Amino acid sequence: MTTLNLPPYSVRLGGTRNQPTIFDVLRRKYVALTPEEWVRQHFVHFLIDEKHYPPTLLANEVSLKIGEKSLRADTVLYDRDLQPRMIVEYKAPTIQLTQKVMEQVSAYNLLLHVDFLIVSNGLDHYCCRMNYEQGTYEFLTEIPTYEQIIST
């Protein structure tokens, strides 16, 4: 797998050579090892280990519904009142983070109304803070810590 622009962690691999798996610490099970999943697992560990996000307040593959359409947010962070505060969308390292990717995560936000949106392909990471009063958003230079998120 590709070396990412994220800190390393003790990866737990399983499965077979033809169908490799990686352990998802949030779902507590092995899942198919795809390039996007490689990014997700590294980013989740970065949030937990480096940014001090409580694992119990993070969820992977969160089901959403817009009318008849079913969607899945890659990772959602909740506060201690179980209100969603951040959505993270992952792409494989070979996928560029374009306006289309931001539109995808923004569509999820129509339902969740979070304060922060993040997109990452494991090499590049973009985080923005929503300002609903002014109808704008601001790109941040760093991924905020959990304490910074809940203090907003």
Side-chain angles (χ1 to χ4, degrees), residues 2-152:
T2 304
T3 301
L4 303 177
N5 183 17
L6 290 163
Y9 77 98
S10 296
V11 178
R12 290 170 51 190
L13 299 175
T16 66
R17 182 182 196 120
N18 293 333
Q19 293 184 327
T21 58
I22 188 168
F23 188 76
D24 182 328
V25 67
L26 300 182
R27 291 179 274 183
R28 296 184 183 108
K29 66 179 184 177
Y30 283 89
V31 296
L33 177 56
T34 63
E36 183 178 308
E37 195 63 46
W38 182 249
V39 172
R40 180 198 327 261
Q41 294 309 315
H42 277 79
F43 204 90
V44 164
H45 280 271
F46 163 71
L47 293 176
I48 293 168
D49 299 340
E50 306 289 326
K51 297 297 181 173
H52 311 291
Y53 288 44
T56 55
L57 298 178
L58 287 165
N60 283 339
E61 295 288 322
V62 175
S63 294
L64 305 170
K65 206 164 179 109
I66 298 179
E68 294 298 314
K69 190 173 184 176
S70 294
L71 304 170
R72 278 211 166 92
D74 287 339
T75 301
V76 176
L77 168 72
Y78 298 89
D79 62 21
R80 298 207 185 275
D81 296 322
L82 300 182
Q83 296 302 307
R85 297 299 299 271
M86 180 178 79
I87 302 169
V88 187
E89 176 65 24
Y90 308 106
K91 297 297 179 192
T94 56
I95 305 295
Q96 285 193 305
L97 301 177
T98 62
Q99 180 64 32
K100 188 170 182 157
V101 176
M102 284 304 295
E103 289 168 6
Q104 180 182 1
V105 73
S106 295
Y108 302 153
N109 197 32
L110 293 174
L111 294 171
L112 297 179
H113 204 74
V114 299
D115 298 315
F116 295 88
L117 301 175
I118 296 177
V119 295
S120 175
N121 64 6
L123 303 173
D124 297 311
H125 327 287
Y126 298 102
C127 178
C128 63
R129 179 189 341 230
M130 306 304 294
N131 183 329
Y132 293 104
E133 289 177 12
Q134 296 181 359
T136 61
Y137 56 88
E138 165 195 9
F139 279 94
L140 306 177
T141 56
E142 254 186 62
I143 306 294
T145 64
Y146 181 73
E147 288 303 316
Q148 291 169 322
I149 285 183
I150 60 169
S151 68
T152 60

